[in-house]
Structure formats: C-alpha cells, structure tokens
Amino acid sequence: MFTFTADYSPFLGIEKGAVLQEVRVFNDPQLDPRRCSQVITKLLYLLNQGDSFSKNEATEVFFSVTKLFQSKDLGLRRMVYLIIKELSPSSDEVIIVTSSLMKDMNSKTDMYRANAIRVLCRITDGTLLTQIERYLKQAIVDKNPVVASAALVSGIHLLQTNPEIVKRWSNEVQEAVQSRAALVQFHALALLQQIRQNDRLAVSKLVTSLTKGTARSPLAQCLLIRYASQVIRESANTQTGDRPFYDFLESCLRHKAEMVVFEAARAITELSGVTNRELTPAITALQLFLSSSKPVLRFAAVRALNKVAMTHPMAVTNCNIDMESLISDQNRSIATLAITTLLKTGNESSVDRLMKQITNFMSDIADEFKIVVVEAIRSLCLKFPLKYRSLMNFLSNILREEGGFDYKKAIVDSIVILIRDIPEAKESGLLQLCEFIEDCEFTYLSTQILHFLGNEGPKTTDPSKYIRYIYNRVHLENATVRAAAVSTLAKFGAMVDALKPQIFVLLRRCVLDSDDEVRDRTTLYLNTLGGDGEVVETNKETKTLLFGALDIPLVNLETSLKNYEPSEEPFDIDSVSKEVKSQPLAEKKAPGKKPTGLGAPLAGPPSTVDAYERLLSSIPEFLDFGKLFKSSAPVELTEAETEYAVNVVKHIFDRHVVFQYNCTNTIPEQLLENVSVIVDLSEADDFAEVLSKPVRSLPYDTPGQTFVAFEKPEGITAVGKFSNTLRFIVKEVDPTTGEAEEDGVEDEYQLEDLEVVAADYMMKVGVSNFRNAWESMGDDFEHVDEYGLGPRENLAEAVSAVINLLGMQPCEGTEVVATNSRSHTCLLSGVFLGNVRVLVRLQFGIDGSRDVAMKLAVRSEDEAVSDTIHEIVSSG
C-alpha cells in the first residue's frame, strides 16, 4: 500500500504541455486503460486548478477522448464521462459523442446508463433534449436507483435552462417520490418542489400529502421539513398563531434518524415569532445531543442553541449545565460555542464562575476563537455593567498574554467600548491600556491607544497619573509612536492647565529628537501652548487646533499646497475648498460592518454632514435658513472624463433647499471665471429660486462650489425635476507662464437633470430594538392601509423599491428577502423633516401571477407625517 506524506502530491510539478503530449496514448491501437485513466486524471487536475485550454487544445483533447469509447473498461469509461463534462464541447463537437452517449444510455450496463444521462444533459442543447426526452422520462421511473437518481439530478440542472421541458415530467417525478430508494425519493422531492415553487398552493398540497408519512428516506424527510418551514413562513395563518405543519415538525423530533431530529429542532427554533412553549420540545431534543458521543452532533446542537440564545436566552438556560461540561471538550469549536452561549444566557450571579472557567480555557484555543469569546464578554459586560470590574480584569489579563494583532485589537476595542459606555470603568480601563502599551509590539495599536488616551485622559479626575506612561513612549518606541506620544502630551497640556508646566518641560526634551516628524510636532506644540510653561488657561483657538478635526478634505489641502507658489504672501488655508469630493463609482467599496472600538472615530472627527453644516453656516446668505436637516450624497451631473466634472449635493432645510454644485475644471489650458449654474424650474412648480452664488475663479484641477437656493412651501413634501446648465467665462492659459488672458469668452455646458424626491426629506436613523420602539411610539398617530404594487420580478425587487422610495433605514436585517419567498415583512425607521421620528412596518405578498400586494403601517410623532408617508407611497 502506497502512503502519501503530508507534503507530497502525485501531481506535483506537472505541466500542461507535457500532459497534452501524453494525450497521444488515447490514439494507441492497443489502449492501456490504466495509463489512459492516469492521463485523464492529470487533465482534470489541471482544469480544476484553473488552467485553461485554448480552443485548439480543447478540441484536440476532446477528439482524442472520443476514441476511448471503444474500450470496454468500466473505470476508464467513467473517467471519459468526467472529462467530457469538464471540457464542455461546443455544439458542433457534441454531435461527435452524441451517438456514443445515446448508445450507452440504452445499454444493459446500469453504470453506463446513469453516467451517459448525466453527461448528455450537461452538454446538450434544447433541440437534442426533445429527442431524448422520452428516454429521460423512462429513466426517472427506472427500477435501478442509480439510473433514476441520475435522471432526476439532471432534471434539476436542466430546470434552470429548459424549464418548459422539465415541467412536463411531473407525473414521472411524482411517481419517483414514492420510491423506496432513499436517494431517489430525495432527488425526486427536490425536483418536484422546484417545478412547483412558483405555485404556492401546489407546494402546500405537496407538503400536506407527504407529511402523512410517505417520506421514508431520512434525506427526503429533512428536505420535507425545510419545505414545511417555508410554507409556515409564507402562510397568512402565521399572524394568528395557528401554524400549519407545526405538529409535523414536532413529531419529527421523535424520528429515529438523528439528522431528521436535528433538522426539525433547527426549523422550530428559526420560526419567526416562535414562543417559549413551541421552543421547549426543540430545546429538549438539542439538549440530548449535547451529551452525544458524536462530535458533529454536539457541534450542531450547541451552534443551534447559540443562535437561539440571541433572541430567547431564557429558553436555553436549562441547557447551561450540559454546556458547561462542553467547555473542556476536545473539539475547540464546540468549546468556544459553548462558552459564548453561556455568556449570552448566564445571569449576573454566574459571571464570576464563568470567568474562572474561561481563564483556563483561553490558552488552549486559537486566536480566531479567542476573538469570538472576547466579543461575547464585551456584550456580557454591557448587559451587566455592575460586573465591569471582574470582566475588565479578565480582559486586562488576557491582553498581557501572547497573541496576534487581530486578537489584541479585539481586546483593546472591547476595553475602549466599555470605557465609553460604562463611565465607572473609564479610569481603570485607561490604566490597563497604559500598561499594555508598555510592552505592545504593534505600532498601530500603540498610536491608536495614545490618540484615545489624549481624548479621554484629560477628562478623568486625576490626569497626571497617565503622563508617565505617555512620556515613556517618547524614548522607548519607534518614530511613529513617539510622534503620537508627543501629540498626546500636548493635548494633556492644552486641556489640563495645571499640568502645563510639567508638559512644557517634557516637550522641550523632545526638540532634539532624531526624527523630523517628532521634532516638527514638538516645535509646533511648544509654540502653540505658549506661556513658557506658566499655568495659564489655554485659549479656544489652541484647543481647536489640537482637538478639533480639520474640516478641510486632505485631498483639497494637498492640491492647494502643490499649486501654491512661494511668495511674500503666506499660504491662506481659508482659500482651500471645503467641498467633500464624491468617491468615483469604480473606487467605492462595499459597505461593511459599522466600525467599533479603535476603528470608530475617536473624539468626534466631523462627519460629512458636520462639514457641510460648517460650510453652509460660513455663507452669510444662508444664515436665515435655520438648521440644516439633511445633506444628500453627491449626485454626478457629468460623465467621467469630460471637460468639466460637476456633482451636486442637495441640502434640505425646513423651508429651503440648497443645491451645492461641486465643479472641477479638468482642462489645464483654461481658467474659468464667474462660474454659475442656471436652473430651469418648469418641472418644479413648488420651488422658487431665491439666490445664486457663483464661483469667482476655477483654475485647473481645483474644486470650487457654486450654490443655488430655493424656497418651498412649509409643511409640503415638494418634489420636482430641475434642468441644469453650467455657465461661465473661459480664459485661455499660457502653458509656459501659467498666466491667463485678460479677455474671456462666455460659454455654457449642459448638465444632467436633477430630481428632488420624497426620500430627500427623510433621514435614515435606525433603532436597535424595533419592537420596543414600535410599542413605545404608541398608536395615537398610526395609519394603516393596503396597496397593490403591480407585477414584479420577485419580492426582493418590490421591497427594494419601497425602501428607496421612502429613504428610510431598514432594521434588523429585514431588507433581505429569502429566495423564492412568497411573503415578507420589512421594518423601517427614520426621522422626517422637522425631526419627527417615523417607524414603518411593511408586509408584502406575491401571488402566482407575480402581482405584489403590500400592507403599510406607519407610526410617528405627528399625524400629518404618518399621512404624508402614505401619500408618498400612493403617489409613487
């Protein structure tokens, strides 16, 4: 027997060229089945490793493979079937093997028949499929289960490309569902459900007929449980608490097959709005699996219980004793899930006992599992804030142990969040972070902790105790950390006047540092703090410089500094554009998790809205408009790589709307002056233009803003379409001197139209617990109505359309619609113009003709706003 070592692969070092040369063995007069099988294996390996064959290479291999049909060796014939499927020959090449495959499909050898069916259905087109349809129908009800399963699986694949043909097989598939062969029944049920999936009533009837005990195969029974769960989710009776098929699910908990028991228990725990009474039998079944000798059952059970604990922690408490015994399980995945579940279900009195058990456990698991435990401990601390001491001590202890960057960052993030959310934990938490950076090997974590310390430390009762830790970083760390430590010291000096003399002395010692950045920062802070170390109050401007975030985009500042030519006039930072450039579509990243811990903004760097608000408040003409309610995302009004790049931001006030047109001149040989936008209001009757503020000068690649303000009726959700034309005076620029000509030419540039829609008056603001928010809002101003949304491709399209129409924030992940779902509930939250909180509950349903109906329930703090939401939907 040949034994492979862990580092050895029989395919190590094979090359495509050499393998293609070996294909010649397929042409030998006397075929060697073993040798041919080895060559096909190498070809399959290359294809699965991502190697691609050119058309000529694939054709040559394909024609060589077809010659192997003359061999009667069963093993080689199976390899031939595999390689033909992987090569996916073109329609003109398929004809070469069609006759051989059809001959095999009618062979007396069952292995030939089953594999020939799979290959033919994989490579054939609709025309050939009609010719072999009769054979496929016969194969579905064949007495040999291998042949029947092959035909059924092929039908599942063909349903995606030729649904009309496969739907004609319903009678044969229905007969196969009654088969005694486990796999045949399983595949037949899967195909039959897919054939009927768009007919909700037919699926319900199918499940009803099979729940009477005709599904003998455990695999088919698991599939039936899933279909029953789908019917329960889609059933209108769910709203009344009368769940169809719940008794069937509960009866499956007593099935002799473990996979069926687990599938039924999982299905019950995942029912929407499941009650503790309904959960009890499922929890009991899962509890029995916790003590199973099979690791896979223990893992499945504890993972299911872990999910239940997120929504029904009290229902899982009866399993706590069994889960505590799993903390020492040899399978670390099981142990980790057991611990995190216990942390979710434990009460305040059990925290200390759990911490002792977890302490011994942490050293035995990998960092990825440790991170899960740390996040669970953080949640537990926020749940029981009075236990912060023991939990913070635990985090502090594991912070000193060995671990990778992600693990350490997770711990630091947790401590930072606890400091922010539990005021009593601030001082002890900051000291723990200070002790950690004494030995921290990660530059990023050290600098972020110092930055956080500079924001939080001065606000504590005794800020002086942190100075020693910070100053040690100035001498014992790399230049990046030293620079961060200097900045942190300066913040303490600026915010705590009593510490200023001490800070001044410490900073003066850093003036001769070997790093330019450290020296420059030190010099800046010494000059800014002033007073030669005397105890004087730091002025507001100094605190703003050290603490306030720069409200100018760094890209704009960089561009202006590059364009600045040294002269007698100093650089004027007020001349830098404050426009927040929109990110090009190609560079936009997918939305991810909301940052927490050190990844979250520290000490309030301004959001985009804050930057816009500051920008608008600096323009005297807009001061009478009141407080800015909302600013939209930039809307592009020009295509990429055009002469002028323009996007617009819509600023919404109570009685006004301001368009901020962000313009960039992309032609080096031109200077634009007196740049403005002419707006046509012919399709926006509810708006009246009140002022326009042009850009005086727009040099090459320097962003500038022009504004147009409109008045609208108060209390009305005014909408309309605006036509935009960019108007300016263009002057030629001498490329050698950079000087512009004195005379210019007036010109115009047509921009895309812009719309103000109802969603512009709604701000996306989520709620952490929708049910509590809904109940606390009360039904005083509740408005409920039903609407027909017409034909839609699926429910997901309808849900997305309504969310975009209202511009509200989906809650609790309800914007995601399950595939092929026939009903769905979506929860939305937001703040309407005038700072009126709004909650919306949407219930969707789709029938067989794809017509979508929707029930809309709105609750808000103002009856007029509730009515407005319904008006938006009815007119949208």
Side-chain angles (χ1 to χ4, degrees), residues 683-698:
E683 296 184 64
D685 297 335
D686 291 331
F687 295 86
E689 185 174 328
V690 291
L691 69 91
S692 176
K693 188 175 179 60
V695 183
R696 286 184 298 175
S697 178
L698 196 64

Side-chain angles (χ1 to χ4, degrees), residues 584-621:
L585 289 176
E587 297 177 9
K588 288 186 178 178
K589 295 182 179 179
K593 285 186 177 180
K594 182 179 179 181
T596 57
L598 291 178
L602 299 176
S607 67
T608 304
V609 175
D610 294 332
Y612 285 142
E613 192 165 12
R614 251 192 311 275
L615 172 61
L616 294 171
S617 63
S618 67
I619 301 173
E621 293 89 338

Side-chain angles (χ1 to χ4, degrees), residues 437-720:
I437 59 173
E438 294 275 273
D439 302 311
C440 180
E441 58 183 306
F442 303 110
T443 298
Y444 172 81
L445 286 181
S446 295
T447 55
Q448 292 298 305
I449 289 173
L450 287 167
H451 183 35
F452 179 70
L453 192 61
N455 290 305
E456 298 295 331
K459 302 172 187 176
T460 58
T461 55
D462 185 13
S464 61
K465 61 185 176 185
Y466 307 112
I467 301 300
R468 173 175 63 87
Y469 297 101
I470 300 169
Y471 185 65
N472 284 345
R473 300 305 97 214
V474 174
H475 294 288
L476 303 176
E477 289 285 0
N478 59 45
T480 304
V481 178
R482 295 203 305 273
V486 166
S487 297
T488 303
L489 284 173
K491 288 182 179 180
F492 272 79
M495 298 299 290
V496 186
D497 293 323
L499 291 177
K500 186 178 288 187
Q502 180 185 358
I503 299 296
F504 200 86
V505 172
L506 296 177
L507 287 176
R508 292 192 66 175
R509 297 175 184 173
C510 304
V511 173
L512 300 179
D513 192 276
S514 59
D515 183 73
D516 292 342
E517 174 75 13
V518 178
R519 290 198 306 273
D520 290 347
R521 288 196 187 195
T522 303
T523 304
L524 169 66
Y525 293 136
L526 284 172
N527 291 332
T528 307
L529 289 174
D532 291 330
E534 300 174 6
V535 182
V536 296
E537 183 178 354
T538 306
N539 59 43
K540 184 178 179 181
E541 288 75 15
T542 301
K543 291 183 179 179
T544 301
L545 174 64
L546 295 176
F547 274 101
L550 192 65
D551 60 352
I552 298 171
L554 292 178
V555 174
N556 296 359
L557 179 60
E558 180 184 11
T559 301
S560 298
L561 286 170
K562 286 180 178 178
N563 294 336
Y564 171 70
E565 295 182 2
S567 62
E568 295 181 359
E569 294 184 8
F571 177 78
D572 183 9
I573 198 167
D574 292 331
S575 65
V576 181
S577 168
K578 297 180 180 180
E579 179 240 339
V580 181
K581 274 192 172 182
S582 62
Q583 194 176 18
L585 289 176
E587 297 177 9
K588 288 186 178 178
K589 295 182 179 179
K593 285 186 177 180
K594 182 179 179 181
T596 57
L598 291 178
L602 299 176
S607 67
T608 304
V609 175
D610 294 332
Y612 285 142
E613 192 165 12
R614 251 192 311 275
L615 172 61
L616 294 171
S617 63
S618 67
I619 301 173
E621 293 89 338
F622 299 152
L623 293 178
D624 295 336
F625 290 0
K627 183 172 177 59
L628 175 65
F629 170 69
K630 175 187 175 182
S631 295
S632 74
V635 179
E636 299 294 337
L637 298 184
T638 57
E639 295 181 358
E641 300 179 0
T642 53
E643 303 96 306
Y644 313 110
V646 181
N647 64 50
V648 62
V649 177
K650 295 174 278 188
H651 301 296
I652 310 297
F653 296 84
D654 283 339
R655 296 189 58 188
H656 296 84
V657 175
V658 176
F659 291 168
Q660 173 188 329
Y661 295 92
N662 304 310
C663 310
T664 304
N665 172 19
T666 62
I667 303 177
E669 298 82 11
Q670 289 185 357
L671 169 68
L672 306 186
E673 291 185 347
N674 197 24
V675 181
S676 63
V677 176
I678 308 303
V679 183
D680 181 2
L681 301 179
S682 58
E683 296 184 64
D685 297 335
D686 291 331
F687 295 86
E689 185 174 328
V690 291
L691 69 91
S692 176
K693 188 175 179 60
V695 183
R696 286 184 298 175
S697 178
L698 196 64
Y700 163 67
D701 202 29
T702 301
Q705 298 87 33
T706 175
F707 298 86
V708 182
F710 307 91
E711 190 174 25
K712 69 175 187 66
E714 189 172 8
I716 294 179
T717 310
V719 297

Side-chain angles (χ1 to χ4, degrees), residues 98 101-102 105 116-124 128 132:
T98 299
L101 289 171
M102 291 186 69
M105 194 168 66
I117 289 171
R118 290 176 181 269
V119 176
L120 263 175
C121 292
R122 173 71 175 270
I123 67 175
T124 190
L128 180 61
I132 63 172

Side-chain angles (χ1 to χ4, degrees), residues 276 279-280 283-284 286-287 290 304-306 308-325 338 341-350 353-354 380 383-384:
N276 285 334
L279 273 176
T280 301
I283 299 296
T284 303
L286 292 172
Q287 186 175 6
L290 292 177
L305 291 171
N306 187 280
V308 176
M310 296 179 185
T311 53
H312 296 81
M314 296 306 297
V316 186
T317 51
N318 292 336
C319 306
N320 281 4
I321 295 176
D322 297 278
M323 281 190 286
E324 284 188 27
S325 65
T341 307
L342 286 168
L343 290 173
K344 293 171 186 173
T345 60
N347 52 39
E348 198 163 2
S349 60
S350 65
R353 186 180 78 255
L354 280 175
L380 185 69
K383 183 179 178 183
F384 303 120

Side-chain angles (χ1 to χ4, degrees), residues 609-862:
V609 175
D610 294 332
Y612 285 142
E613 192 165 12
R614 251 192 311 275
L615 172 61
L616 294 171
S617 63
S618 67
I619 301 173
E621 293 89 338
F622 299 152
L623 293 178
D624 295 336
F625 290 0
K627 183 172 177 59
L628 175 65
F629 170 69
K630 175 187 175 182
S631 295
S632 74
V635 179
E636 299 294 337
L637 298 184
T638 57
E639 295 181 358
E641 300 179 0
T642 53
E643 303 96 306
Y644 313 110
V646 181
N647 64 50
V648 62
V649 177
K650 295 174 278 188
H651 301 296
I652 310 297
F653 296 84
D654 283 339
R655 296 189 58 188
H656 296 84
V657 175
V658 176
F659 291 168
Q660 173 188 329
Y661 295 92
N662 304 310
C663 310
T664 304
N665 172 19
T666 62
I667 303 177
E669 298 82 11
Q670 289 185 357
L671 169 68
L672 306 186
E673 291 185 347
N674 197 24
V675 181
S676 63
V677 176
I678 308 303
V679 183
D680 181 2
L681 301 179
S682 58
E683 296 184 64
D685 297 335
D686 291 331
F687 295 86
E689 185 174 328
V690 291
L691 69 91
S692 176
K693 188 175 179 60
V695 183
R696 286 184 298 175
S697 178
L698 196 64
Y700 163 67
D701 202 29
T702 301
Q705 298 87 33
T706 175
F707 298 86
V708 182
F710 307 91
E711 190 174 25
K712 69 175 187 66
E714 189 172 8
I716 294 179
T717 310
V719 297
K721 180 184 284 188
F722 301 79
S723 298
N724 306 284
T725 304
L726 189 68
R727 181 175 292 176
F728 48 84
I729 296 174
V730 58
K731 294 183 177 181
E732 296 296 328
V733 176
D734 189 333
T736 56
T737 64
E739 296 292 330
E741 296 179 355
E742 293 186 4
D743 297 328
V745 178
E746 188 170 312
D747 199 359
E748 292 184 352
Y749 188 82
Q750 188 63 44
L751 305 175
E752 297 288 339
D753 291 345
L754 173 68
E755 285 188 283
V756 171
V757 295
D760 290 324
Y761 299 99
M762 181 72 72
M763 191 154 48
K764 292 183 177 183
V765 178
V767 292
S768 56
N769 188 317
F770 187 88
R771 176 179 292 181
N772 289 348
W774 181 266
E775 292 174 354
S776 63
M777 180 81 73
D779 58 0
D780 294 342
F781 301 129
E782 182 175 6
H783 186 168
V784 182
D785 209 341
E786 296 181 357
Y787 301 90
L789 304 184
R792 300 277 177 169
E793 187 66 27
N794 49 45
L795 271 189
E797 179 190 329
V799 171
S800 177
V802 177
I803 291 174
N804 293 335
L805 177 66
L806 296 178
M808 300 181 71
Q809 176 65 44
C811 301
E812 301 175 8
T814 54
E815 73 275 18
V816 179
V817 183
T819 306
N820 298 323
S821 178
R822 314 297 297 178
S823 62
H824 184 71
T825 299
C826 183
L827 311 174
L828 305 177
S829 171
V831 174
F832 194 73
L833 183 63
N835 290 317
V836 180
R837 286 198 308 138
V838 186
L839 297 175
V840 167
R841 177 176 285 161
L842 302 166
Q843 292 174 293
F844 296 86
I846 186 170
D847 59 19
S849 59
R850 298 188 183 276
D851 283 331
V852 177
M854 179 183 74
K855 183 178 181 182
L856 168 62
V858 182
R859 289 187 179 183
S860 75
E861 299 170 331
D862 188 329

Side-chain angles (χ1 to χ4, degrees), residues 140-187:
I140 289 174
V141 293
D142 195 275
K143 292 181 180 180
N144 188 295
V146 177
V147 175
S149 280
L152 289 165
V153 171
S154 298
I156 292 173
H157 292 303
L158 288 171
L159 193 63
Q160 310 303 318
T161 54
N162 297 277
E164 296 305 320
I165 294 177
V166 179
K167 287 178 181 178
R168 297 201 293 259
W169 307 349
S170 293
N171 292 336
E172 287 78 12
V173 177
Q174 183 76 55
E175 185 178 340
V177 170
Q178 308 304 323
S179 172
R180 293 182 177 277
L183 274 179
V184 173
Q185 190 175 49
F186 170 64
H187 290 140

